[in-house]
Short mmCIF file of all heavy atoms in Angstrom, two decimals:
data_model
loop_
_atom_site.label_atom_id
_atom_site.label_comp_id
_atom_site.label_asym_id
_atom_site.label_seq_id
_atom_site.Cartn_x
_atom_site.Cartn_y
_atom_site.Cartn_z
N TRP A 194 253.62 113.76 -7.63
CA TRP A 194 254.05 115.11 -7.33
C TRP A 194 253.02 116.17 -7.71
O TRP A 194 252.84 117.17 -6.97
CB TRP A 194 255.34 115.47 -8.07
CG TRP A 194 255.26 115.47 -9.52
CD1 TRP A 194 255.52 114.45 -10.38
CD2 TRP A 194 254.89 116.51 -10.32
NE1 TRP A 194 255.33 114.76 -11.67
CE2 TRP A 194 254.96 116.14 -11.71
CE3 TRP A 194 254.57 117.88 -10.06
CZ2 TRP A 194 254.64 117.01 -12.77
CZ3 TRP A 194 254.24 118.71 -11.15
CH2 TRP A 194 254.31 118.29 -12.49
N ARG A 195 252.26 116.01 -8.74
CA ARG A 195 251.20 116.99 -9.10
C ARG A 195 250.15 117.09 -8.10
O ARG A 195 249.69 118.17 -7.68
CB ARG A 195 250.71 116.70 -10.49
CG ARG A 195 249.76 117.77 -11.02
CD ARG A 195 249.15 117.41 -12.44
NE ARG A 195 248.50 118.59 -12.98
CZ ARG A 195 247.19 118.87 -12.65
NH1 ARG A 195 246.57 118.24 -11.80
NH2 ARG A 195 246.69 119.93 -13.24
N GLU A 196 249.61 115.93 -7.63
CA GLU A 196 248.63 115.88 -6.59
C GLU A 196 249.19 116.49 -5.28
O GLU A 196 248.32 117.22 -4.65
CB GLU A 196 248.07 114.43 -6.34
CG GLU A 196 247.40 113.87 -7.54
CD GLU A 196 247.08 112.39 -7.25
OE1 GLU A 196 247.76 111.76 -6.54
OE2 GLU A 196 246.02 111.92 -7.82
N PHE A 197 250.44 116.30 -5.01
CA PHE A 197 250.99 116.90 -3.81
C PHE A 197 250.99 118.39 -3.84
O PHE A 197 250.56 119.04 -2.88
CB PHE A 197 252.33 116.31 -3.57
CG PHE A 197 253.01 116.81 -2.29
CD1 PHE A 197 252.61 116.28 -1.07
CD2 PHE A 197 254.11 117.69 -2.31
CE1 PHE A 197 253.12 116.71 0.12
CE2 PHE A 197 254.68 118.09 -1.15
CZ PHE A 197 254.15 117.60 0.06
N GLU A 198 251.34 118.92 -5.00
CA GLU A 198 251.28 120.40 -5.25
C GLU A 198 249.83 120.86 -5.09
O GLU A 198 249.59 121.98 -4.45
CB GLU A 198 251.96 120.75 -6.48
CG GLU A 198 253.42 120.54 -6.45
CD GLU A 198 254.05 120.99 -7.80
OE1 GLU A 198 253.32 121.75 -8.62
OE2 GLU A 198 255.20 120.64 -8.11
N MET A 199 248.86 120.21 -5.65
CA MET A 199 247.55 120.65 -5.62
C MET A 199 246.97 120.55 -4.14
O MET A 199 246.29 121.55 -3.72
CB MET A 199 246.68 119.72 -6.46
CG MET A 199 246.88 119.80 -7.95
SD MET A 199 245.91 118.64 -8.94
CE MET A 199 244.32 119.34 -8.73
N LEU A 200 247.35 119.52 -3.42
CA LEU A 200 246.96 119.49 -2.05
C LEU A 200 247.49 120.66 -1.22
O LEU A 200 246.80 121.33 -0.45
CB LEU A 200 247.49 118.23 -1.38
CG LEU A 200 247.27 117.98 0.10
CD1 LEU A 200 245.80 117.83 0.47
CD2 LEU A 200 248.16 116.86 0.62
N VAL A 201 248.81 120.92 -1.30
CA VAL A 201 249.44 122.06 -0.64
C VAL A 201 248.76 123.39 -1.01
O VAL A 201 248.48 124.16 -0.13
CB VAL A 201 250.99 122.07 -0.89
CG1 VAL A 201 251.62 123.34 -0.25
CG2 VAL A 201 251.58 120.76 -0.34
N GLY A 202 248.60 123.53 -2.32
CA GLY A 202 247.90 124.77 -2.85
C GLY A 202 246.60 124.99 -2.22
O GLY A 202 246.13 126.07 -1.72
N GLU A 203 245.77 123.83 -2.17
CA GLU A 203 244.45 123.99 -1.63
C GLU A 203 244.42 124.25 -0.14
O GLU A 203 243.57 124.98 0.39
CB GLU A 203 243.72 122.62 -1.92
CG GLU A 203 242.15 122.58 -1.46
CD GLU A 203 241.35 123.65 -2.24
OE1 GLU A 203 241.83 124.16 -3.25
OE2 GLU A 203 240.29 123.95 -1.74
N ALA A 204 245.34 123.65 0.57
CA ALA A 204 245.44 123.85 2.04
C ALA A 204 245.75 125.33 2.25
O ALA A 204 245.15 125.99 3.24
CB ALA A 204 246.54 123.00 2.68
N PHE A 205 246.65 125.96 1.57
CA PHE A 205 246.91 127.39 1.75
C PHE A 205 245.73 128.23 1.26
O PHE A 205 245.53 129.21 1.91
CB PHE A 205 248.13 127.80 0.87
CG PHE A 205 249.46 127.36 1.60
CD1 PHE A 205 250.37 126.61 0.94
CD2 PHE A 205 249.80 127.84 2.88
CE1 PHE A 205 251.58 126.26 1.55
CE2 PHE A 205 250.97 127.48 3.48
CZ PHE A 205 251.91 126.65 2.84
N ARG A 206 245.05 127.87 0.30
CA ARG A 206 243.86 128.52 -0.23
C ARG A 206 242.78 128.56 0.79
O ARG A 206 242.14 129.62 1.15
CB ARG A 206 243.31 127.85 -1.49
CG ARG A 206 242.25 128.68 -2.16
CD ARG A 206 241.86 128.04 -3.54
NE ARG A 206 242.85 128.19 -4.44
CZ ARG A 206 243.62 127.26 -5.02
NH1 ARG A 206 243.56 126.08 -4.52
NH2 ARG A 206 244.52 127.48 -5.94
N ARG A 207 242.59 127.47 1.54
CA ARG A 207 241.57 127.38 2.71
C ARG A 207 242.08 128.31 3.82
O ARG A 207 241.27 128.64 4.66
CB ARG A 207 241.48 125.97 3.13
CG ARG A 207 240.89 124.95 2.17
CD ARG A 207 239.52 125.18 1.83
NE ARG A 207 239.07 124.21 0.82
CZ ARG A 207 238.43 123.06 1.16
NH1 ARG A 207 238.26 122.77 2.42
NH2 ARG A 207 238.04 122.25 0.27
N GLN A 208 243.30 128.61 3.93
CA GLN A 208 243.80 129.50 4.98
C GLN A 208 243.71 131.01 4.52
O GLN A 208 244.10 131.87 5.30
CB GLN A 208 245.29 129.25 5.29
CG GLN A 208 245.45 127.86 5.95
CD GLN A 208 246.93 127.67 6.38
OE1 GLN A 208 247.88 128.24 5.79
NE2 GLN A 208 247.09 126.89 7.49
N GLY A 209 243.09 131.25 3.44
CA GLY A 209 242.87 132.62 3.00
C GLY A 209 243.85 133.21 2.01
O GLY A 209 243.77 134.42 1.73
N TYR A 210 244.84 132.42 1.60
CA TYR A 210 245.85 132.91 0.65
C TYR A 210 245.18 132.90 -0.76
O TYR A 210 244.41 131.99 -1.15
CB TYR A 210 247.00 132.03 0.63
CG TYR A 210 247.89 132.16 1.94
CD1 TYR A 210 247.80 131.31 2.98
CD2 TYR A 210 248.87 133.21 2.02
CE1 TYR A 210 248.59 131.42 4.05
CE2 TYR A 210 249.64 133.29 3.12
CZ TYR A 210 249.53 132.46 4.20
OH TYR A 210 250.23 132.49 5.26
N LYS A 211 245.64 133.81 -1.61
CA LYS A 211 245.39 133.73 -3.01
C LYS A 211 246.61 132.92 -3.63
O LYS A 211 247.78 133.26 -3.46
CB LYS A 211 245.31 135.16 -3.65
CG LYS A 211 245.04 135.08 -5.16
CD LYS A 211 245.00 136.50 -5.71
CE LYS A 211 244.77 136.47 -7.26
NZ LYS A 211 244.74 137.84 -7.82
N VAL A 212 246.36 131.84 -4.25
CA VAL A 212 247.33 130.87 -4.65
C VAL A 212 247.50 130.91 -6.21
O VAL A 212 246.50 130.72 -6.95
CB VAL A 212 246.97 129.45 -4.18
CG1 VAL A 212 248.10 128.47 -4.67
CG2 VAL A 212 246.81 129.47 -2.70
N ARG A 213 248.74 131.06 -6.68
CA ARG A 213 249.02 130.99 -8.03
C ARG A 213 249.95 129.78 -8.23
O ARG A 213 251.06 129.76 -7.63
CB ARG A 213 249.77 132.29 -8.51
CG ARG A 213 250.09 132.26 -10.03
CD ARG A 213 250.89 133.55 -10.31
NE ARG A 213 251.58 133.42 -11.60
CZ ARG A 213 252.61 134.24 -11.92
NH1 ARG A 213 253.04 135.15 -11.14
NH2 ARG A 213 253.21 134.05 -13.12
N GLU A 214 249.56 128.92 -9.08
CA GLU A 214 250.28 127.62 -9.33
C GLU A 214 251.26 127.83 -10.41
O GLU A 214 250.88 128.11 -11.60
CB GLU A 214 249.27 126.55 -9.58
CG GLU A 214 248.37 126.19 -8.42
CD GLU A 214 247.21 125.28 -8.77
OE1 GLU A 214 246.85 125.26 -9.95
OE2 GLU A 214 246.71 124.68 -7.84
N ILE A 215 252.48 127.52 -10.11
CA ILE A 215 253.58 127.74 -11.09
C ILE A 215 254.11 126.38 -11.60
O ILE A 215 254.35 126.21 -12.78
CB ILE A 215 254.82 128.55 -10.45
CG1 ILE A 215 254.24 129.93 -10.03
CG2 ILE A 215 255.92 128.63 -11.53
CD1 ILE A 215 253.80 130.73 -11.15
N GLY A 216 254.22 125.44 -10.67
CA GLY A 216 254.93 124.24 -10.99
C GLY A 216 254.09 123.02 -11.55
O GLY A 216 254.64 122.02 -11.74
N LEU A 217 252.78 123.25 -11.72
CA LEU A 217 251.94 122.16 -12.11
C LEU A 217 252.22 121.68 -13.57
O LEU A 217 251.71 120.70 -13.99
CB LEU A 217 250.50 122.51 -11.92
CG LEU A 217 250.02 122.67 -10.53
CD1 LEU A 217 248.58 123.03 -10.48
CD2 LEU A 217 250.32 121.49 -9.68
#
């Protein structure tokens, strides 16, 4: 689950979002 959250966060980051990780 942690890798899945990291993957999703990185995908959004590559789309130009500033990503703040809460659930890691």
Side-chain angles (χ1 to χ4, degrees):
W194 63 267
R195 187 181 189 279
E196 290 175 332
F197 185 68
E198 289 181 17
M199 293 178 70
L200 171 72
V201 174
E203 184 64 16
F205 282 124
R206 189 175 287 110
R207 298 289 181 94
Q208 291 185 331
Y210 290 96
K211 181 180 178 181
V212 181
R213 179 181 164 202
E214 297 168 336
I215 299 296
L217 292 182

